[in-house]
Amino acid sequence: MPDVVVIGAGVVGAACAYYAARAGLDVVVVDRGPVAGGTTGAGEGNILVSDKEPGPELDLALLSNRLWRDLAGAETGDGPGNGSGKAAGGFEFEAKGGLVVAETDEVLEALTGLAAAQGVEHVLAGPGELHDYEPHLARGFAGGVFYPQDAQVHPMLAAAGLIRRGAERFGHGALMLRTGVTVTGFVRRGGRIAGVTTDQGEILAGAVVNAAGTWGGQVAALAGVHVPILPRRGFILVTEPLAGPLVRHKVYTAAYVTAVASDSAGLETSAVVESTPSGPVLIGASRERVGFDRTVSIPVLERLARQAVELFPALADHRAIRAYCGFRPYCPDHLPVIGEDPRVRGLYHACGHEGAGIGLAPATGHLIARLLAGLRPELDLTPFRPDRFAEEAS
């Protein structure tokens, strides 16, 4: 019998499984689809500190940033994060840094105020200095802030890599993966969770981790507890491969920070542009709460393309070859749900990260693993408590 069942083979579930196996626990990961088949596979791979307000999520992001660099450096042997900005770790980790640009002096003042309050490493860039970072950036911006710690990974490679590393490095049978298995309920014994029921039978375990991402609320409901996670749809455009490095860093407008923190259910878009090691440029980001509707919205894609060209006019000479959408797991207070559920012993949650799950995955997995092993977590998990939300009216 395994010590832990992890529900969800996205990057957060993979990180929970990896760190639990590293802590000496036997783990089974189950997913109704393939590895990274949900939100992870539709992500850009953001590892950001730049868009986090001061507080618990920024603390989580800083821990996770360090862990991502450790993971990348451990694979290459070049030290934390490789330091070079080159793809590393087997999952295209790039310590490229992020440049946030402001359209007006007023926006720049707010942006620099946020950077000062965050207390993280940053460099202020005046309008004449922006092109030292991005030579192809459009003219006319009031200035910006460069965040050296911002980075990027290939999200699907990261999820698969963490599961593979956990299985290969921490003893035979310490981490097992079962895809195509749908969780239908929970096994209870002695007043606590003792495993899961699936469409292929029971899997007994000492504890269960709900890392089901956008579907985390539905999994919680199977245990009879309320965790209000809703889908927030987003589209990404992908260009044809470019011959040269048109975009050097992760570049976005200050409006992106506002969109991330917004509670609106309506459509919001803000320019986010970045290159990838294989050549294509990724263009985002949109947000809207429309349930699990996957209908392609041409007006949204047109808006994303227009905003990207406003940032980098040279993109107008290149084709967008495809687009995809995913569903971010949105919580009303914009904080993830991390920790043991005091309402149901033996059930742990690691979900609700919205668009930051890829960046926050290692810290989440590390903290969950410490709880599972009976150790004190490095961060205060009170802000992420699963029972912090009001129960639904019956």
Side-chain angles (χ1 to χ4, degrees):
M1 183 179 82
D3 298 299
V4 185
V5 170
V6 176
I7 305 172
V11 71
V12 173
C16 290
Y18 169 82
Y19 284 103
R22 182 170 163 173
L25 303 175
D26 289 338
V27 186
V28 173
V29 181
V30 298
D31 199 298
R32 64 186 178 185
V35 173
T39 298
T40 295
E44 293 172 275
N46 291 337
I47 301 174
L48 303 182
V49 299
S50 55
D51 66 338
K52 307 294 188 295
E53 296 282 346
E57 190 182 23
L58 179 57
D59 295 338
L60 191 67
L62 289 169
L63 172 60
S64 213
N65 195 287
R66 174 173 63 81
L67 292 174
W68 270 124
R69 292 167 188 272
D70 289 346
L71 289 165
E75 187 75 9
T76 62
D78 293 332
N82 195 24
S84 65
K86 296 180 180 179
F91 39 75
E92 296 184 2
F93 178 89
E94 294 184 278
K96 60 171 61 175
L99 180 66
V100 190
V101 298
E103 299 90 339
T104 66
D105 291 336
E106 182 180 11
V107 172
L108 181 61
E109 183 179 359
L111 190 62
T112 55
L114 172 63
Q118 289 169 322
V120 302
E121 185 180 359
H122 66 275
V123 181
L124 303 182
E129 300 167 310
L130 290 176
H131 294 87
D132 294 336
Y133 292 97
E134 293 290 345
H136 298 283
L137 188 70
R139 304 286 173 176
F141 288 102
V145 180
F146 178 69
Y147 288 84
Q149 289 171 283
D150 280 0
Q152 182 181 358
V153 294
H154 189 301
M156 289 177 280
L157 291 179
L162 287 169
I163 291 174
R164 183 181 63 252
R165 289 188 198 186
E168 293 175 351
R169 298 187 178 183
F170 304 114
H172 179 69
L175 198 167
M176 297 180 61
L177 171 66
R178 294 183 59 184
T179 56
V181 176
T182 300
V183 171
T184 56
F186 290 89
V187 179
R188 296 174 187 260
R189 293 182 180 173
R192 61 174 291 126
I193 295 294
V196 295
T197 60
T198 77
D199 58 354
Q200 298 181 29
E202 291 184 349
I203 306 175
L204 301 181
V208 176
V209 178
N210 170 19
T214 311
W215 297 268
Q218 298 175 17
V219 169
L222 294 175
V225 293
H226 173 59
V227 177
I229 295 175
L230 298 172
R232 204 176 185 191
R233 186 177 71 182
F235 287 96
I236 295 174
L237 273 175
V238 184
T239 74
E240 62 186 343
L242 274 59
L246 178 65
V247 186
R248 295 180 176 181
H249 308 89
K250 185 181 295 289
V251 183
Y252 62 87
T253 61
Y256 176 76
V257 179
T258 303
V260 168
S262 172
D263 295 320
S264 173
L267 174 66
E268 296 180 334
T269 63
S270 52
V272 182
V273 182
E274 60 193 314
S275 297
T276 63
S278 55
V281 171
L282 303 181
I283 298 170
S286 68
R287 283 172 163 77
E288 55 185 330
R289 296 213 308 272
V290 292
F292 287 98
D293 183 3
R294 288 187 175 274
T295 304
V296 175
S297 173
I298 298 302
V300 173
L301 299 181
E302 289 176 340
R303 187 188 296 189
L304 292 177
R306 183 171 61 253
Q307 291 177 333
V309 171
E310 289 171 355
L311 265 183
F312 290 93
L315 283 173
D317 298 327
H318 299 278
R319 295 176 298 171
I321 58 173
R322 67 186 182 96
Y324 57 92
C325 80
F327 300 103
R328 302 177 184 90
Y330 165 89
C331 277
D333 61 0
H334 299 283
L335 291 178
V337 182
I338 303 172
E340 186 173 16
D341 197 315
R343 301 164 294 184
V344 186
R345 291 177 57 213
L347 176 62
Y348 296 74
H349 299 284
C351 50
H353 297 76
E354 200 169 332
I358 293 162
L360 300 179
T364 300
H366 172 69
L367 295 169
I368 287 288
R370 290 189 66 84
L371 292 176
L372 291 167
L375 302 174
R376 184 183 182 90
E378 295 176 33
L379 297 180
D380 178 12
L381 295 181
T382 302
F384 310 111
R385 282 176 61 95
D387 63 339
R388 69 185 187 267
F389 305 101
E391 293 293 331
E392 284 187 313
S394 58

PDB file of all heavy atoms in Angstrom, residues 359-392:
ATOM      1  N   GLY A 359       4.734  28.134 -11.920  1.00  0.00           N
ATOM      2  CA  GLY A 359       5.760  28.796 -11.130  1.00  0.00           C
ATOM      3  C   GLY A 359       5.774  28.361  -9.680  1.00  0.00           C
ATOM      4  O   GLY A 359       6.839  28.241  -9.070  1.00  0.00           O
ATOM      5  N   LEU A 360       4.599  28.111  -9.097  1.00  0.00           N
ATOM      6  CA  LEU A 360       4.499  27.809  -7.672  1.00  0.00           C
ATOM      7  C   LEU A 360       4.548  26.316  -7.361  1.00  0.00           C
ATOM      8  O   LEU A 360       4.495  25.923  -6.193  1.00  0.00           O
ATOM      9  CB  LEU A 360       3.192  28.387  -7.116  1.00  0.00           C
ATOM     10  CG  LEU A 360       3.014  29.898  -7.234  1.00  0.00           C
ATOM     11  CD1 LEU A 360       1.654  30.315  -6.668  1.00  0.00           C
ATOM     12  CD2 LEU A 360       4.131  30.647  -6.527  1.00  0.00           C
ATOM     13  N   ALA A 361       4.682  25.484  -8.377  1.00  0.00           N
ATOM     14  CA  ALA A 361       4.594  24.036  -8.179  1.00  0.00           C
ATOM     15  C   ALA A 361       5.649  23.477  -7.225  1.00  0.00           C
ATOM     16  O   ALA A 361       5.312  22.719  -6.309  1.00  0.00           O
ATOM     17  CB  ALA A 361       4.643  23.322  -9.531  1.00  0.00           C
ATOM     18  N   PRO A 362       6.955  23.771  -7.415  1.00  0.00           N
ATOM     19  CA  PRO A 362       7.936  23.161  -6.516  1.00  0.00           C
ATOM     20  C   PRO A 362       7.722  23.513  -5.047  1.00  0.00           C
ATOM     21  O   PRO A 362       7.837  22.642  -4.174  1.00  0.00           O
ATOM     22  CB  PRO A 362       9.274  23.697  -7.030  1.00  0.00           C
ATOM     23  CG  PRO A 362       9.028  24.044  -8.452  1.00  0.00           C
ATOM     24  CD  PRO A 362       7.616  24.553  -8.470  1.00  0.00           C
ATOM     25  N   ALA A 363       7.431  24.773  -4.751  1.00  0.00           N
ATOM     26  CA  ALA A 363       7.201  25.154  -3.359  1.00  0.00           C
ATOM     27  C   ALA A 363       5.981  24.434  -2.800  1.00  0.00           C
ATOM     28  O   ALA A 363       5.989  23.959  -1.654  1.00  0.00           O
ATOM     29  CB  ALA A 363       7.026  26.663  -3.245  1.00  0.00           C
ATOM     30  N   THR A 364       4.919  24.346  -3.595  1.00  0.00           N
ATOM     31  CA  THR A 364       3.719  23.646  -3.147  1.00  0.00           C
ATOM     32  C   THR A 364       4.021  22.184  -2.862  1.00  0.00           C
ATOM     33  O   THR A 364       3.655  21.654  -1.806  1.00  0.00           O
ATOM     34  CB  THR A 364       2.619  23.755  -4.216  1.00  0.00           C
ATOM     35  OG1 THR A 364       2.310  25.132  -4.450  1.00  0.00           O
ATOM     36  CG2 THR A 364       1.359  23.035  -3.771  1.00  0.00           C
ATOM     37  N   GLY A 365       4.709  21.520  -3.783  1.00  0.00           N
ATOM     38  CA  GLY A 365       5.055  20.125  -3.579  1.00  0.00           C
ATOM     39  C   GLY A 365       5.966  19.921  -2.385  1.00  0.00           C
ATOM     40  O   GLY A 365       5.797  18.978  -1.594  1.00  0.00           O
ATOM     41  N   HIS A 366       6.929  20.797  -2.225  1.00  0.00           N
ATOM     42  CA  HIS A 366       7.869  20.719  -1.106  1.00  0.00           C
ATOM     43  C   HIS A 366       7.142  20.869   0.232  1.00  0.00           C
ATOM     44  O   HIS A 366       7.392  20.101   1.185  1.00  0.00           O
ATOM     45  CB  HIS A 366       8.922  21.816  -1.280  1.00  0.00           C
ATOM     46  CG  HIS A 366       9.844  21.984  -0.119  1.00  0.00           C
ATOM     47  ND1 HIS A 366      10.793  21.050   0.231  1.00  0.00           N
ATOM     48  CD2 HIS A 366       9.962  22.995   0.790  1.00  0.00           C
ATOM     49  CE1 HIS A 366      11.463  21.473   1.302  1.00  0.00           C
ATOM     50  NE2 HIS A 366      10.975  22.648   1.650  1.00  0.00           N
ATOM     51  N   LEU A 367       6.238  21.843   0.327  1.00  0.00           N
ATOM     52  CA  LEU A 367       5.511  22.089   1.571  1.00  0.00           C
ATOM     53  C   LEU A 367       4.558  20.946   1.890  1.00  0.00           C
ATOM     54  O   LEU A 367       4.435  20.522   3.052  1.00  0.00           O
ATOM     55  CB  LEU A 367       4.767  23.418   1.478  1.00  0.00           C
ATOM     56  CG  LEU A 367       5.660  24.660   1.365  1.00  0.00           C
ATOM     57  CD1 LEU A 367       4.834  25.887   1.002  1.00  0.00           C
ATOM     58  CD2 LEU A 367       6.422  24.902   2.673  1.00  0.00           C
ATOM     59  N   ILE A 368       3.859  20.441   0.876  1.00  0.00           N
ATOM     60  CA  ILE A 368       2.958  19.303   1.081  1.00  0.00           C
ATOM     61  C   ILE A 368       3.747  18.083   1.548  1.00  0.00           C
ATOM     62  O   ILE A 368       3.327  17.349   2.463  1.00  0.00           O
ATOM     63  CB  ILE A 368       2.186  18.988  -0.211  1.00  0.00           C
ATOM     64  CG1 ILE A 368       1.119  20.052  -0.477  1.00  0.00           C
ATOM     65  CG2 ILE A 368       1.547  17.599  -0.147  1.00  0.00           C
ATOM     66  CD1 ILE A 368      -0.075  20.012   0.456  1.00  0.00           C
ATOM     67  N   ALA A 369       4.896  17.845   0.939  1.00  0.00           N
ATOM     68  CA  ALA A 369       5.715  16.691   1.317  1.00  0.00           C
ATOM     69  C   ALA A 369       6.176  16.781   2.767  1.00  0.00           C
ATOM     70  O   ALA A 369       6.215  15.766   3.487  1.00  0.00           O
ATOM     71  CB  ALA A 369       6.920  16.568   0.386  1.00  0.00           C
ATOM     72  N   ARG A 370       6.515  17.967   3.220  1.00  0.00           N
ATOM     73  CA  ARG A 370       6.914  18.132   4.621  1.00  0.00           C
ATOM     74  C   ARG A 370       5.750  17.824   5.557  1.00  0.00           C
ATOM     75  O   ARG A 370       5.933  17.195   6.611  1.00  0.00           O
ATOM     76  CB  ARG A 370       7.456  19.542   4.857  1.00  0.00           C
ATOM     77  CG  ARG A 370       8.805  19.789   4.191  1.00  0.00           C
ATOM     78  CD  ARG A 370       9.420  21.115   4.608  1.00  0.00           C
ATOM     79  NE  ARG A 370       9.781  21.147   6.024  1.00  0.00           N
ATOM     80  CZ  ARG A 370      10.926  20.674   6.517  1.00  0.00           C
ATOM     81  NH1 ARG A 370      11.813  20.108   5.716  1.00  0.00           N
ATOM     82  NH2 ARG A 370      11.195  20.779   7.812  1.00  0.00           N
ATOM     83  N   LEU A 371       4.561  18.271   5.195  1.00  0.00           N
ATOM     84  CA  LEU A 371       3.392  17.944   6.012  1.00  0.00           C
ATOM     85  C   LEU A 371       3.161  16.441   6.053  1.00  0.00           C
ATOM     86  O   LEU A 371       2.894  15.866   7.119  1.00  0.00           O
ATOM     87  CB  LEU A 371       2.154  18.649   5.466  1.00  0.00           C
ATOM     88  CG  LEU A 371       2.104  20.176   5.575  1.00  0.00           C
ATOM     89  CD1 LEU A 371       0.850  20.708   4.881  1.00  0.00           C
ATOM     90  CD2 LEU A 371       2.118  20.620   7.034  1.00  0.00           C
ATOM     91  N   LEU A 372       3.252  15.803   4.895  1.00  0.00           N
ATOM     92  CA  LEU A 372       3.028  14.362   4.816  1.00  0.00           C
ATOM     93  C   LEU A 372       4.053  13.590   5.640  1.00  0.00           C
ATOM     94  O   LEU A 372       3.746  12.532   6.205  1.00  0.00           O
ATOM     95  CB  LEU A 372       3.088  13.901   3.354  1.00  0.00           C
ATOM     96  CG  LEU A 372       1.940  14.356   2.449  1.00  0.00           C
ATOM     97  CD1 LEU A 372       2.286  14.097   0.982  1.00  0.00           C
ATOM     98  CD2 LEU A 372       0.645  13.652   2.822  1.00  0.00           C
ATOM     99  N   ALA A 373       5.258  14.112   5.710  1.00  0.00           N
ATOM    100  CA  ALA A 373       6.328  13.449   6.456  1.00  0.00           C
ATOM    101  C   ALA A 373       6.340  13.822   7.934  1.00  0.00           C
ATOM    102  O   ALA A 373       7.229  13.388   8.676  1.00  0.00           O
ATOM    103  CB  ALA A 373       7.677  13.784   5.822  1.00  0.00           C
ATOM    104  N   GLY A 374       5.376  14.643   8.363  1.00  0.00           N
ATOM    105  CA  GLY A 374       5.297  15.043   9.763  1.00  0.00           C
ATOM    106  C   GLY A 374       6.292  16.107  10.148  1.00  0.00           C
ATOM    107  O   GLY A 374       6.622  16.259  11.332  1.00  0.00           O
ATOM    108  N   LEU A 375       6.761  16.891   9.165  1.00  0.00           N
ATOM    109  CA  LEU A 375       7.744  17.931   9.417  1.00  0.00           C
ATOM    110  C   LEU A 375       7.098  19.309   9.345  1.00  0.00           C
ATOM    111  O   LEU A 375       6.066  19.493   8.700  1.00  0.00           O
ATOM    112  CB  LEU A 375       8.883  17.848   8.397  1.00  0.00           C
ATOM    113  CG  LEU A 375       9.644  16.516   8.356  1.00  0.00           C
ATOM    114  CD1 LEU A 375      10.635  16.516   7.198  1.00  0.00           C
ATOM    115  CD2 LEU A 375      10.355  16.251   9.675  1.00  0.00           C
ATOM    116  N   ARG A 376       7.724  20.275   9.966  1.00  0.00           N
ATOM    117  CA  ARG A 376       7.213  21.641   9.963  1.00  0.00           C
ATOM    118  C   ARG A 376       7.493  22.299   8.616  1.00  0.00           C
ATOM    119  O   ARG A 376       8.632  22.283   8.139  1.00  0.00           O
ATOM    120  CB  ARG A 376       7.877  22.447  11.076  1.00  0.00           C
ATOM    121  CG  ARG A 376       7.348  23.875  11.239  1.00  0.00           C
ATOM    122  CD  ARG A 376       8.137  24.592  12.331  1.00  0.00           C
ATOM    123  NE  ARG A 376       7.631  25.947  12.538  1.00  0.00           N
ATOM    124  CZ  ARG A 376       6.673  26.268  13.385  1.00  0.00           C
ATOM    125  NH1 ARG A 376       6.125  25.325  14.126  1.00  0.00           N
ATOM    126  NH2 ARG A 376       6.270  27.519  13.514  1.00  0.00           N
ATOM    127  N   PRO A 377       6.477  22.884   7.975  1.00  0.00           N
ATOM    128  CA  PRO A 377       6.723  23.562   6.688  1.00  0.00           C
ATOM    129  C   PRO A 377       7.509  24.846   6.881  1.00  0.00           C
ATOM    130  O   PRO A 377       7.471  25.455   7.956  1.00  0.00           O
ATOM    131  CB  PRO A 377       5.317  23.845   6.162  1.00  0.00           C
ATOM    132  CG  PRO A 377       4.454  23.871   7.380  1.00  0.00           C
ATOM    133  CD  PRO A 377       5.057  22.905   8.354  1.00  0.00           C
ATOM    134  N   GLU A 378       8.216  25.242   5.847  1.00  0.00           N
ATOM    135  CA  GLU A 378       9.070  26.430   5.931  1.00  0.00           C
ATOM    136  C   GLU A 378       8.266  27.730   5.923  1.00  0.00           C
ATOM    137  O   GLU A 378       8.760  28.768   6.379  1.00  0.00           O
ATOM    138  CB  GLU A 378      10.060  26.447   4.761  1.00  0.00           C
ATOM    139  CG  GLU A 378      11.052  25.307   4.789  1.00  0.00           C
ATOM    140  CD  GLU A 378      11.950  25.313   3.570  1.00  0.00           C
ATOM    141  OE1 GLU A 378      12.250  26.411   3.065  1.00  0.00           O
ATOM    142  OE2 GLU A 378      12.335  24.231   3.119  1.00  0.00           O
ATOM    143  N   LEU A 379       7.077  27.701   5.380  1.00  0.00           N
ATOM    144  CA  LEU A 379       6.223  28.882   5.327  1.00  0.00           C
ATOM    145  C   LEU A 379       4.984  28.666   6.175  1.00  0.00           C
ATOM    146  O   LEU A 379       4.519  27.525   6.353  1.00  0.00           O
ATOM    147  CB  LEU A 379       5.798  29.186   3.885  1.00  0.00           C
ATOM    148  CG  LEU A 379       6.883  29.546   2.880  1.00  0.00           C
ATOM    149  CD1 LEU A 379       6.250  29.821   1.513  1.00  0.00           C
ATOM    150  CD2 LEU A 379       7.669  30.763   3.333  1.00  0.00           C
ATOM    151  N   ASP A 380       4.413  29.744   6.668  1.00  0.00           N
ATOM    152  CA  ASP A 380       3.136  29.696   7.367  1.00  0.00           C
ATOM    153  C   ASP A 380       2.033  29.430   6.337  1.00  0.00           C
ATOM    154  O   ASP A 380       1.815  30.232   5.430  1.00  0.00           O
ATOM    155  CB  ASP A 380       2.884  31.024   8.075  1.00  0.00           C
ATOM    156  CG  ASP A 380       1.543  31.074   8.795  1.00  0.00           C
ATOM    157  OD1 ASP A 380       0.897  30.009   8.950  1.00  0.00           O
ATOM    158  OD2 ASP A 380       1.137  32.180   9.184  1.00  0.00           O
ATOM    159  N   LEU A 381       1.352  28.301   6.473  1.00  0.00           N
ATOM    160  CA  LEU A 381       0.332  27.925   5.498  1.00  0.00           C
ATOM    161  C   LEU A 381      -1.059  28.427   5.861  1.00  0.00           C
ATOM    162  O   LEU A 381      -2.025  28.127   5.152  1.00  0.00           O
ATOM    163  CB  LEU A 381       0.304  26.397   5.341  1.00  0.00           C
ATOM    164  CG  LEU A 381       1.569  25.772   4.745  1.00  0.00           C
ATOM    165  CD1 LEU A 381       1.410  24.261   4.616  1.00  0.00           C
ATOM    166  CD2 LEU A 381       1.883  26.385   3.389  1.00  0.00           C
ATOM    167  N   THR A 382      -1.177  29.204   6.928  1.00  0.00           N
ATOM    168  CA  THR A 382      -2.495  29.703   7.338  1.00  0.00           C
ATOM    169  C   THR A 382      -3.235  30.438   6.216  1.00  0.00           C
ATOM    170  O   THR A 382      -4.445  30.224   6.022  1.00  0.00           O
ATOM    171  CB  THR A 382      -2.361  30.616   8.566  1.00  0.00           C
ATOM    172  OG1 THR A 382      -1.735  29.895   9.631  1.00  0.00           O
ATOM    173  CG2 THR A 382      -3.726  31.115   9.026  1.00  0.00           C
ATOM    174  N   PRO A 383      -2.571  31.327   5.438  1.00  0.00           N
ATOM    175  CA  PRO A 383      -3.308  32.025   4.369  1.00  0.00           C
ATOM    176  C   PRO A 383      -3.853  31.096   3.292  1.00  0.00           C
ATOM    177  O   PRO A 383      -4.749  31.485   2.544  1.00  0.00           O
ATOM    178  CB  PRO A 383      -2.258  32.974   3.777  1.00  0.00           C
ATOM    179  CG  PRO A 383      -1.234  33.134   4.843  1.00  0.00           C
ATOM    180  CD  PRO A 383      -1.179  31.814   5.537  1.00  0.00           C
ATOM    181  N   PHE A 384      -3.324  29.862   3.202  1.00  0.00           N
ATOM    182  CA  PHE A 384      -3.728  28.930   2.151  1.00  0.00           C
ATOM    183  C   PHE A 384      -4.669  27.837   2.669  1.00  0.00           C
ATOM    184  O   PHE A 384      -4.950  26.872   1.963  1.00  0.00           O
ATOM    185  CB  PHE A 384      -2.478  28.274   1.550  1.00  0.00           C
ATOM    186  CG  PHE A 384      -1.398  29.242   1.150  1.00  0.00           C
ATOM    187  CD1 PHE A 384      -0.192  29.291   1.839  1.00  0.00           C
ATOM    188  CD2 PHE A 384      -1.587  30.125   0.097  1.00  0.00           C
ATOM    189  CE1 PHE A 384       0.799  30.188   1.489  1.00  0.00           C
ATOM    190  CE2 PHE A 384      -0.598  31.021  -0.264  1.00  0.00           C
ATOM    191  CZ  PHE A 384       0.602  31.055   0.427  1.00  0.00           C
ATOM    192  N   ARG A 385      -5.171  27.994   3.886  1.00  0.00           N
ATOM    193  CA  ARG A 385      -5.990  26.950   4.517  1.00  0.00           C
ATOM    194  C   ARG A 385      -7.169  26.542   3.632  1.00  0.00           C
ATOM    195  O   ARG A 385      -7.880  27.406   3.092  1.00  0.00           O
ATOM    196  CB  ARG A 385      -6.539  27.434   5.852  1.00  0.00           C
ATOM    197  CG  ARG A 385      -5.560  27.425   7.007  1.00  0.00           C
ATOM    198  CD  ARG A 385      -6.204  28.018   8.258  1.00  0.00           C
ATOM    199  NE  ARG A 385      -7.376  27.249   8.670  1.00  0.00           N
ATOM    200  CZ  ARG A 385      -7.358  26.287   9.588  1.00  0.00           C
ATOM    201  NH1 ARG A 385      -6.212  25.976  10.187  1.00  0.00           N
ATOM    202  NH2 ARG A 385      -8.456  25.648   9.912  1.00  0.00           N
ATOM    203  N   PRO A 386      -7.419  25.255   3.504  1.00  0.00           N
ATOM    204  CA  PRO A 386      -8.546  24.788   2.677  1.00  0.00           C
ATOM    205  C   PRO A 386      -9.912  25.192   3.200  1.00  0.00           C
ATOM    206  O   PRO A 386     -10.862  25.278   2.419  1.00  0.00           O
ATOM    207  CB  PRO A 386      -8.383  23.254   2.699  1.00  0.00           C
ATOM    208  CG  PRO A 386      -6.949  23.017   3.045  1.00  0.00           C
ATOM    209  CD  PRO A 386      -6.569  24.129   3.966  1.00  0.00           C
ATOM    210  N   ASP A 387     -10.025  25.442   4.488  1.00  0.00           N
ATOM    211  CA  ASP A 387     -11.339  25.748   5.084  1.00  0.00           C
ATOM    212  C   ASP A 387     -11.546  27.238   5.299  1.00  0.00           C
ATOM    213  O   ASP A 387     -12.398  27.639   6.084  1.00  0.00           O
ATOM    214  CB  ASP A 387     -11.497  24.997   6.413  1.00  0.00           C
ATOM    215  CG  ASP A 387     -10.469  25.429   7.451  1.00  0.00           C
ATOM    216  OD1 ASP A 387      -9.418  25.982   7.059  1.00  0.00           O
ATOM    217  OD2 ASP A 387     -10.716  25.229   8.652  1.00  0.00           O
ATOM    218  N   ARG A 388     -10.790  28.079   4.605  1.00  0.00           N
ATOM    219  CA  ARG A 388     -10.907  29.526   4.818  1.00  0.00           C
ATOM    220  C   ARG A 388     -12.119  30.132   4.114  1.00  0.00           C
ATOM    221  O   ARG A 388     -12.469  31.290   4.366  1.00  0.00           O
ATOM    222  CB  ARG A 388      -9.645  30.227   4.330  1.00  0.00           C
ATOM    223  CG  ARG A 388      -9.421  30.228   2.829  1.00  0.00           C
ATOM    224  CD  ARG A 388      -8.084  30.844   2.459  1.00  0.00           C
ATOM    225  NE  ARG A 388      -7.874  31.015   1.024  1.00  0.00           N
ATOM    226  CZ  ARG A 388      -7.278  30.142   0.238  1.00  0.00           C
ATOM    227  NH1 ARG A 388      -6.844  28.990   0.756  1.00  0.00           N
ATOM    228  NH2 ARG A 388      -7.127  30.378  -1.047  1.00  0.00           N
ATOM    229  N   PHE A 389     -12.760  29.379   3.252  1.00  0.00           N
ATOM    230  CA  PHE A 389     -13.894  29.919   2.490  1.00  0.00           C
ATOM    231  C   PHE A 389     -15.209  29.621   3.203  1.00  0.00           C
ATOM    232  O   PHE A 389     -15.339  28.612   3.895  1.00  0.00           O
ATOM    233  CB  PHE A 389     -13.936  29.276   1.096  1.00  0.00           C
ATOM    234  CG  PHE A 389     -12.659  29.419   0.330  1.00  0.00           C
ATOM    235  CD1 PHE A 389     -11.765  28.362   0.246  1.00  0.00           C
ATOM    236  CD2 PHE A 389     -12.337  30.609  -0.303  1.00  0.00           C
ATOM    237  CE1 PHE A 389     -10.581  28.471  -0.457  1.00  0.00           C
ATOM    238  CE2 PHE A 389     -11.150  30.729  -1.015  1.00  0.00           C
ATOM    239  CZ  PHE A 389     -10.267  29.664  -1.083  1.00  0.00           C
ATOM    240  N   ALA A 390     -16.174  30.487   2.998  1.00  0.00           N
ATOM    241  CA  ALA A 390     -17.515  30.239   3.531  1.00  0.00           C
ATOM    242  C   ALA A 390     -18.119  29.031   2.854  1.00  0.00           C
ATOM    243  O   ALA A 390     -17.950  28.827   1.647  1.00  0.00           O
ATOM    244  CB  ALA A 390     -18.400  31.471   3.309  1.00  0.00           C
ATOM    245  N   GLU A 391     -18.813  28.202   3.632  1.00  0.00           N
ATOM    246  CA  GLU A 391     -19.451  27.032   3.065  1.00  0.00           C
ATOM    247  C   GLU A 391     -20.593  27.457   2.156  1.00  0.00           C
ATOM    248  O   GLU A 391     -21.245  28.485   2.382  1.00  0.00           O
ATOM    249  CB  GLU A 391     -19.986  26.119   4.174  1.00  0.00           C
ATOM    250  CG  GLU A 391     -18.900  25.476   5.013  1.00  0.00           C
ATOM    251  CD  GLU A 391     -18.063  24.478   4.236  1.00  0.00           C
ATOM    252  OE1 GLU A 391     -18.598  23.872   3.292  1.00  0.00           O
ATOM    253  OE2 GLU A 391     -16.876  24.311   4.574  1.00  0.00           O
ATOM    254  N   GLU A 392     -20.852  26.647   1.109  1.00  0.00           N
ATOM    255  CA  GLU A 392     -21.962  26.936   0.210  1.00  0.00           C
ATOM    256  C   GLU A 392     -23.280  26.798   0.946  1.00  0.00           C
ATOM    257  O   GLU A 392     -23.443  25.946   1.817  1.00  0.00           O
ATOM    258  CB  GLU A 392     -21.951  25.950  -0.967  1.00  0.00           C
ATOM    259  CG  GLU A 392     -20.882  26.249  -2.003  1.00  0.00           C
ATOM    260  CD  GLU A 392     -21.026  25.344  -3.207  1.00  0.00           C
ATOM    261  OE1 GLU A 392     -21.188  24.126  -2.982  1.00  0.00           O
ATOM    262  OE2 GLU A 392     -20.980  25.835  -4.325  1.00  0.00           O
TER     263      GLU A 392
END
